[in-house]
Amino acid sequence: MDEKEDFVVIDPQIPEEGPSAPPPGWLDCVSGYESSKGGEDPYENYHPPPPYAPPDSSQSSHVPNVREPTVSEDVAREALLKYVESKWSFSSKPAKNLVFKDLKPITVYRYRLETYTESRSSNWDSEPFRGQFVDGPEMGLSPPPWEVPVPYPGKYTDVTYRVRVPHSCVVKPCHQCQSMGNVRCSKCFSRGHSRCSHCFGRGHKGAGKNRRRCTLCHGRGVRRCITCHGRGIRVCPSCEGQRNLFHFLQLTVVWKNNIMAYIPPDKVPEFPMAKFEKVSGDAFFEDENLLVYPIVGFPDQEICAMSKKGIEEHIAKFSSNCRILQQRQAIELVPVTHAFYNYHGKVYEYFVYGKENKVFIPKYPSACTIL
């Protein structure tokens, strides 16, 4: 019989494939976890106990005096040579033979605020039931979300941790296959075969003298369904044929280091501000506490204003749905030196910046490309 006319007899009791998530009301509500949903539906974070009060505005953090960054001619030349050697289109001759005209140090401060937070949320999850131990409500009440014990990571590290909520497990018949273990194949509509994608069901390729039988379906126009292997049914993807599902509340704990970095603009008009993001500075002031206080008395008032604003914004943003575990703030001196030099009677310039002594060149004698 032509495979086009073949058909698969399916037991009428085998159900169509249902939704992967259990229907509303399928699972009992667990006290303290009423907002938890099934499947991959979004869910809100749990509010932490009790919110933190803002820092006392009458207190503040004082900053010591700082030094001005300096770079010698030897360091500036070595940094330029290293940069030029990394650019195949640049000649090292100008860097070796330049004559410095001036090395102008520029004081650039970077304020950095870190707020380390913990958030908790939960969702119903499930796996096939294969006889595993069921830690259900009969074992006791489930602890509230913020009382579930979890191992804490090192501070200021981004970590996501998932753990089952104690005493939340329950075994239920599989809702997707109605506890049959199998579902009808939705890929081939339970026929056991589908149209050949190579010849689009025609059984041949080409036309006229170039017409030839399709080598994949052997001229039949249909191919065995690769999902159900021609059976018209497949193992339930939820319970994997076990007929029952092991449901449990899964608590997701997210530790995140929320960072705000700020450099007062227009301190170096000729220098791209974005390049400061990839270099480190000298942290001459550091302050760490559960909640830090705004900086006062620093010569650059923009840094003081940003410290106050940043702390207020972080507390307002994170204290409502996260637990603030720790804060720290720092002021870094990002070294920048504006170098001017003569080469063949012309004056050129470049910048040496960061503790790594990186180089930015607006224009180099042997090339016109701005890099």
Side-chain angles (χ1 to χ4, degrees):
M1 182 180 293
D2 194 324
E3 189 171 337
K4 283 185 178 181
E5 300 176 357
D6 289 350
F7 62 93
V8 178
V9 178
I10 304 295
D11 187 340
Q13 292 184 346
I14 295 179
E16 300 285 349
E17 184 175 348
S20 57
W26 186 260
L27 299 170
D28 295 333
C29 181
V30 177
S31 178
Y33 298 85
E34 289 81 4
S35 62
S36 297
K37 301 179 181 179
E40 299 179 354
D41 293 338
Y43 45 92
E44 297 181 357
N45 292 339
Y46 292 108
H47 297 294
Y52 297 104
D56 185 355
S57 58
S58 64
Q59 299 193 47
S60 57
S61 298
H62 292 271
V63 181
N65 295 327
V66 298
R67 64 184 186 277
E68 190 177 70
T70 57
V71 170
S72 66
E73 291 187 0
D74 290 340
V75 172
R77 189 189 302 273
E78 182 182 352
L80 181 61
L81 280 168
K82 183 179 179 180
Y83 176 82
V84 168
E85 289 173 357
S86 68
K87 306 294 181 181
W88 65 270
S89 61
F90 282 14
S91 169
S92 62
K93 185 176 179 181
K96 293 177 179 178
N97 299 307
L98 62 83
V99 176
F100 283 108
K101 182 180 179 181
D102 188 19
L103 292 176
K104 180 183 176 182
I106 304 172
T107 302
V108 176
Y109 300 119
R110 176 168 57 200
Y111 173 73
R112 182 182 177 92
L113 173 66
E114 297 172 85
T115 301
Y116 192 50
T117 61
E118 175 188 355
S119 62
R120 296 193 177 195
S121 56
S122 68
N123 204 20
W124 279 104
D125 203 351
S126 65
E127 61 185 38
F129 179 63
R130 294 186 171 90
Q132 55 265 52
F133 173 72
V134 181
D135 180 16
E138 64 277 2
M139 307 295 292
L141 294 176
S142 295
W146 285 97
E147 294 183 13
V148 176
V150 295
Y152 277 80
K155 288 189 296 185
Y156 306 109
T157 56
D158 292 349
V159 177
T160 298
Y161 181 78
R162 293 180 175 86
V163 61
R164 291 179 184 174
V165 175
H167 317 320
S168 67
C169 302
V170 62
V171 177
K172 291 272 190 176
C174 179
H175 57 275
Q176 190 167 16
C177 67
Q178 300 177 25
S179 197
M180 294 291 292
N182 294 303
V183 293
R184 297 179 184 236
C185 180
S186 58
K187 187 72 173 179
C188 66
F189 302 101
S190 303
R191 292 194 297 260
H193 59 253
S194 56
R195 187 176 66 169
C196 177
S197 59
H198 189 60
C199 66
F200 302 102
R202 293 192 297 266
H204 60 83
K205 298 281 288 184
K209 294 181 179 180
N210 295 325
R211 177 170 173 166
R212 60 192 183 279
R213 190 172 68 165
C214 178
T215 56
L216 291 183
C217 67
H218 306 291
R220 296 185 177 93
V222 294
R223 299 180 61 193
R224 174 178 291 183
C225 177
I226 59 175
T227 301
C228 66
H229 306 289
R231 299 173 58 227
I233 60 173
R234 64 189 184 106
V235 174
C236 176
S238 289
C239 68
E240 297 178 2
Q242 300 302 310
R243 301 189 177 191
N244 293 311
L245 285 175
F246 180 76
H247 297 273
F248 54 89
L249 275 170
Q250 181 168 260
L251 185 71
T252 300
V253 185
V254 178
W255 293 279
K256 184 172 179 59
N257 192 27
N258 304 276
I259 302 173
M260 185 204 73
Y262 172 77
I263 293 179
D266 302 325
K267 293 297 181 182
V268 191
E270 310 90 342
F271 187 87
M273 296 291 291
K275 291 190 174 293
F276 284 127
E277 299 175 2
K278 299 182 180 180
V279 295
S280 56
D282 181 12
F284 62 89
F285 167 78
E286 290 183 333
D287 177 31
E288 183 174 357
N289 210 328
L290 174 61
L291 294 175
V292 295
Y293 296 107
I295 294 172
V296 298
F298 190 63
D300 193 328
Q301 289 302 308
E302 290 185 75
I303 294 292
C304 296
M306 184 51 63
S307 171
K308 184 176 186 299
K309 180 181 178 182
I311 292 171
E312 290 176 349
E313 288 181 349
H314 271 210
I315 292 176
K317 181 178 180 180
F318 301 120
S319 61
S320 61
N321 59 0
C322 300
R323 172 182 281 173
I324 297 178
L325 301 177
Q326 197 82 355
Q327 280 188 320
R328 67 181 175 186
Q329 61 182 345
I331 301 178
E332 297 175 318
L333 177 64
V334 184
V336 180
T337 299
H338 198 173
F340 299 88
Y341 64 93
N342 290 316
Y343 184 72
H344 285 179
K346 294 184 179 180
V347 178
Y348 296 90
E349 63 180 326
Y350 68 95
F351 294 87
V352 181
Y353 64 100
K355 292 179 67 176
E356 298 83 359
N357 289 333
K358 289 196 173 185
V359 169
F360 168 71
I361 304 178
K363 186 177 181 180
Y364 190 68
S366 67
C368 297
T369 305
I370 298 178
L371 299 177

